[in-house]
Amino acid sequence: DLMMSPRNGIDICRDIRSHNQLKDIYIFFLTAKSDEYYQHAVFNVGGDEFVEKIVGLKPLLTKVSSVLRQSLVIKKRLTKLK
């Protein structure tokens, strides 16, 4: 979330992206902040998804499932290349 305290999601995302062992983690931002400024900030620091909190549970779970499926496909392809 962008409004966490004492550190917000932007700061935490920046920290995750700066650590070599964590930098490939897929980062979802689920937030009440919906204007373009925050969307730009999220993607600028390496966020992968920006979802407004008004989204229903079912669409959110569908989006997460889709990302997980895609990551499994990529992992299988990379394993075959080795």
Side-chain angles (χ1 to χ4, degrees), residues 9-20:
I10 298 286
D11 294 334
I12 293 170
C13 182
R14 191 178 290 118
D15 288 349
I16 290 170
R17 292 297 184 228
S18 71
H19 285 85
N20 201 34

Side-chain angles (χ1 to χ4, degrees), residues 2 5 8 12 15 19 23 28-29 37-38 42-43 45 49-50 52-53 55 57-58 68 74-75 79 81:
L2 294 172
S5 179
N8 65 44
I12 293 170
D15 288 349
H19 285 85
K23 68 180 181 181
F28 273 85
F29 276 82
Y37 171 81
Y38 291 106
V42 162
F43 294 118
V45 296
E49 290 286 341
F50 185 96
E52 294 179 43
K53 281 189 179 176
V55 70
L57 182 60
K58 195 169 185 172
L68 291 173
I74 291 169
K75 185 176 181 178
T79 302
L81 293 174

Side-chain angles (χ1 to χ4, degrees), residues 56-75:
L57 182 60
K58 195 169 185 172
L60 178 61
L61 292 175
T62 301
K63 186 176 280 258
V64 171
S65 293
S66 174
V67 168
L68 291 173
R69 260 192 324 275
Q70 291 172 4
S71 67
L72 288 174
V73 167
I74 291 169
K75 185 176 181 178

